[in-house]
């Protein structure tokens, strides 16, 4: 159970409108909102179920009525001082949270079951969420505020999520009031007291350090070592408190910290198992949100003593996140801890390991902290979520090229029984995989198959989609290559073809492939790869590289102009291009985007585009190019696309699969993305998407609501589209026909 004292986001005044209350409920995402009077008395509880029951009973729905009229007044509650067992007994399938009231009915806290997520500030902790990386500055600032500022800057520049300090009230903490000259003190205590006397920040300086953290966009945290320090920190509006290893058995301090309602981060160094269990029980009775950090409190800690496997033990103690506070040298152990499930990582930070003080030797330098952040994020990206093994986009690309297929060794007539000696196994992996051979042998051939022909699912009797005439409310077509356009386009009634060019196609005689004029519109998809592994990039900071890209795209424009007379439509053909702006190792800094955009606009202006229209394609965050995955930086976000279009006058090809991946990556609304970009769209690529790099999926195999996309584009009936599912051309275009069948219900 978790008891939340900071419940402002879960409460509304009882006299606000129902509409306002529903908006608040939607924002917090818990399905419940508490309605209080101006004096704080709880007057009612509104849940999703309460709203549904009310709306069904209304003849005329008025969302401007007071929420007081709709809220449930017969709610389950408890008193703020009730025992945890008493409160927990109130949870049920119908009661997912319990308001805790004082003696006159004022709302004082909300109790949630342990499934309620634990957060540190805005950072939610849990599977699939990034680990919170804390740079422990402690007293490594050597008592100098400017050095504290420099270390905060280093932590922020490295990408850490928080910078942590320590606060001690020496009078309250030490029996000798922290006197460093006390001759009766042990040598270790004398050494520590001397350092603390010289190297602590004042309270005013500490507040300034917190303020600097916020200016740099990094979360300030602090360890209170005693009750007066905790009381002072309560005036500083921190998101969480760190409890040092030395205080894991200090139940009085821990209880007081838990009573603040803040998330607690507790190190378990210096403690044995029974003491950890006692503290966990104390925290659970208090309904605290907390994180336990595995820790070895030696400075620096020998690797043989760290016992990273103990993270598993901590994880089994209860329903709370675990983390790791490392005092060993280097970053490897902390990175391994993330792979083992740590949701919080704490490492000390210094500007010079040779400085006076016990923490410096176990601290990271700024560049090492930056390496740690990069390594942790790479490990997190690689962990995934388990589950059934599926193919990544990169594997699909390589499987197509490198894998094997069953092919016909000899011509096979329809109806002839397929025998093993009729089959061979060869690359590429376009058809049935070799493991399907036992299923294929003995089947009657369902069609004539030429020698060297591939087999597909329908050769096993699995129904395949067949081409037919389709009905759509806008121009549409299919993607084709030079060698298959006639066969595919003649099977259906599309109004356009989108020719996907390779750089070798630019050398072909277009009249040979298109001898007659066609009653179709023309769209051309420019190659992204040119001879010598040159990826088109009109925004490259390398002027020579960019000039070649301009020249290659001009060749595509010239080719399209020569091809245009073979098509009856007199409108300028659209040329779709992946215009570049990618990087190899990591995304570019946002501050560099304007320069990249400027180079892109300049490159487009240099092209002679008379008689054609170039429409850059919207891009995913992690596109697959020939040669591997990249990071894309341009035409990914809706804001950047809109700025590009309004600045340059260009329209775009909205690839919904690409842009859904971008929305997933940034956790933004895809519907809102489409609404914003639709007015600037000339053409659509329609395919589904999953995750952040699963592009080109068959309609319905991902997470796109195509009905919503179609509704948005009702206002733009002139915008054309093609289905662009991965390998849709295989098996005589089966993937395209299946897509069109599904899209017909919406478009």
């Amino acid at each position: 159970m978790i008891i939340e004292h900071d419940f402002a986001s879960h409460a509304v005044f009882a006299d606000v409108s129902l509409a306002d209350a529903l908006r608040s409920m939607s924002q917090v995402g818990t399905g419940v909102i508490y309605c209080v009077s101006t004096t704080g008395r709880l007057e009612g509880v509104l849940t999703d179920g309460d709203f549904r029951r009310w709306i069904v009973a209304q003849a005329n729905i008025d969302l401007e009525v007071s929420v007081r009229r709709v809220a449930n007044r017969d709610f389950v509650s408890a008193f703020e001082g009730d025992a945890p067992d008493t409160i927990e007994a109130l949870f049920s399938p119908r009661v997912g949270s319990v308001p805790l009231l004082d003696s006159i009915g004022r709302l004082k806290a909300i109790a949630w079951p342990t499934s309620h997520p634990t957060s540190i500030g805005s950072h939610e902790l849990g599977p699939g969420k990034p680990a919170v990386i804390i740079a422990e500055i402690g007293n490594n600032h050597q008592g100098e505020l400017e050095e504290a500022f420099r270390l905060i800057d280093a932590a922020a520049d490295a990408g850490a999520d928080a910078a942590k300090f320590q606060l001690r009230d020496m009078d309250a903490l030490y029996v000798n009031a922290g006197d460093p000259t006390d001759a009766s003190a042990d040598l270790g205590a004398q050494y520590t007291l001397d350092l603390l006397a010289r190297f602590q920040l004042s309270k005013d300086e500490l507040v300034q350090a917190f303020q600097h953290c916020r200016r740099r966009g990094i979360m300030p945290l602090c360890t209170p070592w005693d009750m007066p320090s905790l009381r002072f920190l309560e005036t500083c509006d921190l998101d969480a408190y760190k409890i040092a290893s030395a205080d894991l058995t200090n139940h009085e301090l821990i209880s007081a910290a838990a009573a603040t309602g803040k998330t607690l981060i507790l190190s378990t160094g210096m403690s044995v198992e029974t003491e950890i269990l006692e503290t966990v029980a104390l925290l659970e009775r208090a309904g605290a949100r907390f994180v336990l950090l595995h820790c070895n409190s030696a400075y620096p800690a020998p690797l043989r003593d760290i016992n990273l496997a103990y993270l598993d033990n901590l994880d089994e103690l209860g329903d709370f996140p675990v983390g790791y506070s490392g005092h060993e040298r280097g970053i490897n152990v902390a990175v391994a801890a993330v792979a083992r499930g740590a949701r919080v990582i704490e490492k000390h930070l210094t500007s010079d390991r040779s400085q006076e003080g016990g923490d410096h030797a176990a601290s990271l330098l700024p560049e090492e902290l930056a390496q740690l952040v990069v390594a942790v994020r790479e490990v997190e990206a690689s962990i995934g979520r388990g589950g059934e093994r599926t193919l990544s986009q990169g594997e699909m690309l390589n499987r197509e090229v490198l894998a094997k297929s069953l092919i016909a060794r000899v011509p096979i007539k329809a109806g002839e029984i397929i025998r093993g000696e009729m089959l061979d196994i060869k690359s590429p992996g376009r058809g049935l995989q070799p493991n399907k051979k036992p299923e294929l042998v003995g089947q009657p051939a369902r069609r004539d198959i030429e020698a060297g022909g591939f087999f597909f699912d329908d050769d096993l009797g699995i129904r395949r989609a067949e081409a037919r005439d389709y009905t759509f409310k806008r121009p549409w077509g299919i993607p084709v290559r030079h060698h298959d356009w006639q066969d595919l386009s003649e099977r259906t009634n599309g109004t356009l073809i989108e020719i996907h060019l390779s750089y070798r196609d630019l050398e072909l005689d277009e009249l040979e492939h298109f001898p007659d004029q066609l009653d179709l519109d023309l769209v051309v998809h420019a190659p992204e790869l040119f001879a010598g592994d040159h990826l088109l990039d009109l925004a490259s900071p390398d002027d020579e590289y960019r000039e070649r890209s301009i020249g290659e795209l001009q060749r595509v424009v010239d080719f399209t102009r020569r091809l245009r007379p073979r098509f009856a439509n007199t409108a300028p053909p659209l040329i779709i291009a992946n215009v570049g702006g990618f990087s190899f190792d990591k995304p570019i800094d946002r501050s560099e985007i304007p320069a990249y955009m400027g180079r892109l606009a300049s490159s487009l202006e240099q092209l002679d585009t008379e008689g054609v229209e170039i429409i850059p394609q919207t891009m995913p965050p992690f596109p697959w190019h020939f040669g591997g995955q990249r990071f894309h930086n341009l035409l990914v976000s809706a804001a950047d696309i809109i700025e590009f279009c309004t600045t340059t006058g260009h329209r775009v090809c909205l690839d919904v699969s690409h842009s859904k991946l971008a929305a997933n990556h940034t956790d933004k609304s895809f519907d809102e993305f489409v609404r914003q970009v639709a007015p600037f769209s000339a053409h659509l690529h329609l395919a589904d998407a999953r995750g952040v790099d699963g592009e080109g999926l068959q309609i319905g195999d991902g997470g796109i609501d195509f009905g919503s996309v179609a509704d948005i584009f009702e206002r733009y009936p002139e915008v054309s589209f093609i289905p662009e599912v991965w390998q849709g051309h295989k098996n005589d275009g089966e993937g395209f026909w299946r897509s069109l069948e599904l899209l017909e219900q919406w478009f």
Side-chain angles (χ1 to χ4, degrees), residues 482 485-486 499 505-518 559-567:
H482 267 81
W485 73 266
Q486 189 167 12
I499 303 175
D505 292 340
L506 298 176
E507 301 167 3
L508 298 175
D509 181 354
E510 64 275 10
L511 296 181
E512 178 183 340
H513 289 273
F514 298 92
D516 303 314
Q517 191 176 66
L518 303 172
F559 180 89
T560 304
R561 276 200 289 252
R562 293 196 303 270
L563 195 58
R564 178 181 177 183
R566 318 312 297 169
F567 292 81

Side-chain angles (χ1 to χ4, degrees), residues 55-111:
I55 204 169
V56 168
Q58 303 306 303
N60 297 303
I61 298 170
D62 180 10
L63 295 182
E64 294 306 312
V65 300
S66 165
V67 68
R68 180 186 282 110
R69 293 176 53 184
V70 184
N72 177 15
R73 294 174 176 270
D74 186 21
F75 50 82
V76 173
S77 66
F79 289 108
E80 61 176 329
D82 283 349
D85 290 348
T86 301
I87 300 171
E88 287 184 329
L90 298 175
F91 292 122
S92 71
R94 295 187 59 189
V95 179
S97 60
V98 176
L100 305 183
L101 313 179
D102 64 11
S103 58
I104 59 174
R106 291 178 298 191
L107 182 62
K108 306 300 289 184
I110 301 171

Side-chain angles (χ1 to χ4, degrees), residues 1-7 9-10 28 30 97 110-125 239-241 243 254 257-266 280 282-292 319-321:
M1 179 180 67
I2 293 171
I3 297 177
E4 186 170 25
H5 295 267
D6 182 11
F7 54 82
S9 62
H10 300 282
V28 297
T30 56
S97 60
I110 301 171
W112 305 90
T114 51
S115 59
H116 199 62
T118 298
S119 300
I120 302 176
S122 61
H123 302 274
E124 185 178 331
L125 305 179
D239 291 307
Y241 294 126
I243 302 298
I254 292 173
T260 68
K262 306 285 178 64
T263 298
L264 305 186
I265 308 164
L266 304 97
V280 168
L282 171 70
L283 292 163
E284 289 179 337
R285 287 195 301 273
R289 290 182 178 175
F290 65 97
V291 184
L292 286 189
D319 189 11
F320 51 82

